[in-house]
């Protein structure tokens, strides 16, 4: 296990992929491959229509279900949105602040904060995603952007629980095949941990789990998992292939 006794965590974000039959095959294959794998927590985030199917498939297994997004409201006239409280009983985790939400749907730091509060308020566990765009990195603003996103996300949140999950996902590495180098990812994840320490104290920071995400595959995951501040991965494309996703989970467990 890495520093702080942190249990690594791998998330699979299916995004808007799979039809129902494909989802069922994938869920069954993941249970076959990964149920009871020691040394890593595995969270699968299918599209919303299959969340209930995932919860059924993972019942009595070690695998957890996560939502890809939530709305911040408790209820109301918000067509198409899903409240965090409506996911209780079906999912354990919810991704908040994914860059595809920020960039495609224009979600702001303030909305990410509201979503994070809603997830915490519902008793679910967030996976808070942050990451800089290519132009931020080019301009030398990576750490500044991460600090801004994190401080904004944590606004008004007095404390976070042990094992809180943050995904560092540089936007330029997502879905591009151009993963960050392990050193670049480590530097950013260390900066993320420093913000958590600054806000919530060194103890909580040492137990916070920080994933790297962005073109993670079975071939490159070990380089990330062996870094001191990286505690797993958030996986997009490779999460749709049960063999690749299982290999990633096993590599993370082995590195821990
Ligand atoms: P990718 O996506 O693995 O396809 O780059 C990662 C993510 O968006 O979480």
């Amino acid at each position: 296990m890495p520093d702080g006794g942190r249990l690594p965590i791998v998330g699979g974000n299916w995004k808007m992929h799979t039809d129902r039959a494909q989802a069922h095959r994938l869920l069954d294959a993941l249970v076959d491959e990964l149920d009871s794998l020691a040394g890593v927590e595995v969270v699968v985030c299918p599209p919303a229509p299959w969340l209930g199917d995932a919860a059924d498939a993972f019942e009595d297994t070690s695998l957890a279900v996560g939502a890809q997004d939530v709305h911040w409201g408790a209820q109301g006239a918000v067509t198409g949105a899903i409240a965090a409280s409506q996911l209780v009983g079906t999912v354990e985790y919810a991704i908040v602040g994914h860059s595809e939400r920020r960039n495609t749907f224009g979600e702001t730091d303030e909305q990410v904060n509201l979503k994070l509060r809603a997830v915490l308020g519902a008793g679910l566990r967030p996976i808070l995603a942050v990451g800089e765009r290519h132009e931020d990195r080019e301009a030398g603003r990576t750490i500044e952007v991460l600090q801004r996103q994190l401080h904004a996300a944590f606004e008004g949140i007095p404390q976070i629980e042990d094992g809180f999950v943050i995904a560092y996902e540089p936007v330029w590495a997502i879905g591009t095949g151009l993963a960050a180098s392990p050193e670049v990812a480590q530097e950013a994840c260390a900066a993320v941990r420093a913000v958590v320490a600054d806000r919530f104290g060194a103890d909580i920071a040492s137990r916070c789990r920080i994933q790297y995400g962005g073109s993670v595959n079975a071939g490159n995951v070990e380089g990330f998992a062996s870094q001191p501040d990286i505690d797993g991965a958030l996986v997009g494309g490779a999460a749709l292939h049960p063999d690749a996703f299982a290999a990633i989970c096993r590599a993370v467990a082995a590195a821990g």
Side-chain angles (χ1 to χ4, degrees), residues 13 15 98-100 169 173-177 213-216 234-238:
N13 176 6
K15 307 190 179 181
H98 192 281
S99 65
E100 284 156 15
E169 299 204 299
I174 294 178
T176 59
S215 298
V216 172
L234 187 54
V235 184

Side-chain angles (χ1 to χ4, degrees), residues 142-152 191 195:
T142 297
I143 304 296
E144 190 188 313
V145 167
L146 296 176
Q147 290 172 338
R148 190 204 75 224
Q149 291 176 336
L150 288 164
H151 281 297
V195 174

Side-chain angles (χ1 to χ4, degrees), residues 97-185:
H98 192 281
S99 65
E100 284 156 15
R101 302 294 318 176
R102 294 178 191 260
N103 298 329
T104 311
F105 297 94
E107 289 184 3
T108 63
D109 285 341
E110 290 70 27
Q111 289 170 335
V112 172
N113 171 248
L114 292 174
K115 289 180 178 207
L116 185 57
R117 291 176 190 229
V119 168
L120 293 170
L124 301 175
R125 301 172 137 187
I127 298 174
L128 171 62
V130 295
E132 83 285 4
R133 294 167 308 167
H134 181 68
E135 52 269 42
D136 300 322
R137 180 160 285 274
E138 290 289 290
R141 285 198 304 260
T142 297
I143 304 296
E144 190 188 313
V145 167
L146 296 176
Q147 290 172 338
R148 190 204 75 224
Q149 291 176 336
L150 288 164
H151 281 297
F154 289 135
E155 187 65 41
I157 295 173
Q159 193 50 277
I160 55 174
E161 66 171 16
D162 275 358
F164 188 93
V165 184
I166 299 175
Y168 165 62
E169 299 204 299
V171 177
W172 45 270
I174 294 178
T176 59
L178 302 169
S181 70
E183 294 72 27
V184 161

Side-chain angles (χ1 to χ4, degrees), residues 8 19 22 52 58 63-64 70 78-79 98 166 170 179 255:
D19 61 26
Q22 289 168 332
F58 291 174
L63 286 82
V70 297
V78 194
T79 301
H98 192 281
I166 299 175

